[in-house]
Amino acid sequence: MSAKTLSWRWLSRGLIYGSLGLGALLFLAPLYVMLVTSLKDAEQIRAGNLLALPTLLNWESWTLAWSTACTGAQCSGLQPYFWNSVLMAVPAVLLSTAWGAINGYVLSLWKFRGSDTLFALLLFGVFMPYQVVLLPMSQVLGWLGLSSSVGGLILVHMLAGLPSTTLFFRNYYAAVPPELLRAARIDGAGFWMIFWRIILPMSTPIVMVTLIWQFTQVWNDFLFGVAFTGADSKPVTVGLNNLANTSSSVKAYNVDMAAALIAGLPTMLVYVLAGRYFVRGLTAGAVKG
């Protein structure tokens, strides 16, 4: 290999890594500013240097944001909103993922008359603006007696996430060889035995993708949280909005930043701990077509 070719290769590689590093720096800069601001006291914030590191680590703003900061007339911090989000997100994610897996299994491997039409109609839910369903969904929740409750929010998120989870699993299961199902049927396996013993064990990549995707969508949602909940059932995104917009004599930017980090910490942890499974699942789905 000539020196000219080698130098060109190093130059192109340097440009690629340099552009990636610059993009990562720009992307992570707001997170850095939020973190260092949350650890500063009011005097350091008034100094005006956003990028400067705190002289002393001050965790008081995190304590205030969690337990005593005012969100309107209530001064209990983000803690009750956070646990509302946990009670809402966990069952909504699990139920929508399980239901989507069954739908994808049926629509891809147990074809029936009109299954393709049903799948196409179900896909409208992926592209439908959520604002369209606010009024009819509020009426349905009222009829079911679930208005302004965590249970109603679970139902809303489960139904809203069903088109996406069905799409994920249907596309993944479409690559399963039909001979596998025929052999299982010959051996006497039925609908549910094939699903539990054959299909589900090979679904780990797409299950991880769907769980991470759904958790991110449900946890970060604000529209449904503000529209379908009451005073005691609002999720953390609504609590964060109320905290940031509560007027006071002196704006506590460190408390606001700490509250924003608390609200976003679960999704960040999910991607840090399970991000490689997410990428692996997406790659597996792309290869399987």
Side-chain angles (χ1 to χ4, degrees), residues 212-236:
I212 295 173
W213 172 271
Q214 275 300 96
F215 183 81
T216 304
Q217 300 300 311
V218 173
W219 186 273
N220 291 337
D221 170 73
F222 177 80
L223 180 63
F224 290 159
V226 76
F228 298 131
T229 56
D232 298 328
S233 57
K234 294 185 182 299
V236 70

Side-chain angles (χ1 to χ4, degrees), residues 74-95:
Q74 182 180 359
C75 294
S76 57
L78 287 184
Q79 184 175 2
Y81 302 96
F82 186 91
W83 294 122
N84 285 339
S85 286
V86 172
L87 292 175
M88 174 267 298
V90 172
V93 170
L94 294 179
L95 289 173

Side-chain angles (χ1 to χ4, degrees), residues 100-181:
I102 296 173
N103 284 351
Y105 171 56
V106 172
L107 292 173
S108 60
L109 301 177
W110 293 79
K111 293 286 187 177
F112 56 90
R113 186 175 182 180
S115 60
D116 291 336
T117 303
L118 178 61
F119 179 63
L121 292 174
L122 190 60
L123 284 184
F124 277 113
V126 177
F127 308 103
M128 182 180 297
Y130 287 155
Q131 291 83 352
V132 175
V133 303
L134 290 181
L135 181 58
M137 185 63 74
S138 64
Q139 292 177 330
V140 171
L141 293 178
W143 295 336
L144 296 175
L146 295 174
S147 297
S148 302
S149 67
V150 175
L153 201 56
I154 291 172
L155 178 61
V156 169
H157 280 296
M158 184 178 64
L159 295 177
L162 194 58
S164 298
T165 59
T166 300
L167 174 64
F168 291 159
F169 281 101
R170 190 263 184 189
N171 289 345
Y172 189 85
Y173 291 154
V176 175
E179 295 80 8
L180 189 62
L181 268 70

